[in-house]
Amino acid sequence: MKLLSSFLMTFMACAVMADKPIAIVIHGGAGTIERSQLSAEKEAAIKKDLNQALNTGYAALEAGQDAMEAVVAAIMILENSENFNAGKGAVYTREKGHELDASIMRGSDLQAGAVAGVKYTKNPILAARAVMLHSPHVMLAGAGADAFSKARGLDQVENSYFDTEARFEAWKKVDEKTRQKGRKEAAVSDVLDHEFKFGTVGAVAIDRQGHIVAGTSTGGMTYKAWGRIGDSPVIGAGTYADDRSCGISATGHGEYFIRYAVAHDICARVLYQGKSLAQAADEVINQTLKSVGGDGGIIGMDPQGRPVMMFNTAGMYRGFKTSDETYVAIYGDEKVAD
Ligand code: ASP
């Protein structure tokens, strides 16, 4: 009898576990992404990367791995691709180098890790996870963050590993404009406002246990100077996760996302105002941010495993995978089927 009841309990626990929906949602940056700017080959290459990231992350969830594994696996694929402004393919700083930011947060216990301004860590998302799992801190920056990731045995590369021709061309354009304007700081921020290209990457996943994890990785903004750090490694701005409300990864003009604490604001509206994630995201992205000129978007996941993608720019590289749908899109007019 005892054996039978323990068998039944295990069976019921498994059934409950199997019922929890798994899902993953990703982005590869939001911005002025229009059809006229992307060749068919480039578009296909970007969609291939997005699909690979989704499939890899989802396969991890299906295999019973936790949302942390899924998010890291998906982000690493995008970091290793030249098509995105994260890892290989990161934008250039004013000094013609690369400084990378990343963060990750776990919704089950609000643990988080982040690195800012790393120069030699091949996959910054791994360093962010290591900070969370193997240090008493939440954020490490600069040389110390690289030294920590090296000490943890993570792959280190020369800074030139992150070089790509396309990003250098973007640097040259901004440099020329800045020189024309006499390199005044007002001019730099003016150029940044209008010329910066997005391409940050992020992922949010929910696993069979119902735990949500969100992660973000970026090269920041073209021509950034003086150790400028954006929202991506800032918990509450570019990344947030709380199993009770939602997980969010943002992309856009980081200064606005920091000042409006975008990722946390969206989750707070869900938690305290009982709003749906879609409504909360719409309010913050399309009302609050839009009204002040904060360009960008977010991806998010609610505790029921429903992905949300919201942006106030012309496009956002994005996609999600659930048990019954895989969706990948770039432009603003590509709607999710009802
Ligand atoms: N949010 C990033 C930053 O400000 C840039 C981006 O999303 O493209 O660093």
Side-chain angles (χ1 to χ4, degrees), residues 85 197-200 218 220-221 228 230-232 250-255:
N85 172 21
K197 294 276 180 282
F198 303 105
T200 292
T218 189
M221 285 166 75
R228 179 264 183 191
D231 60 312
S232 306
T251 172
H253 196 155
E255 280 68 10

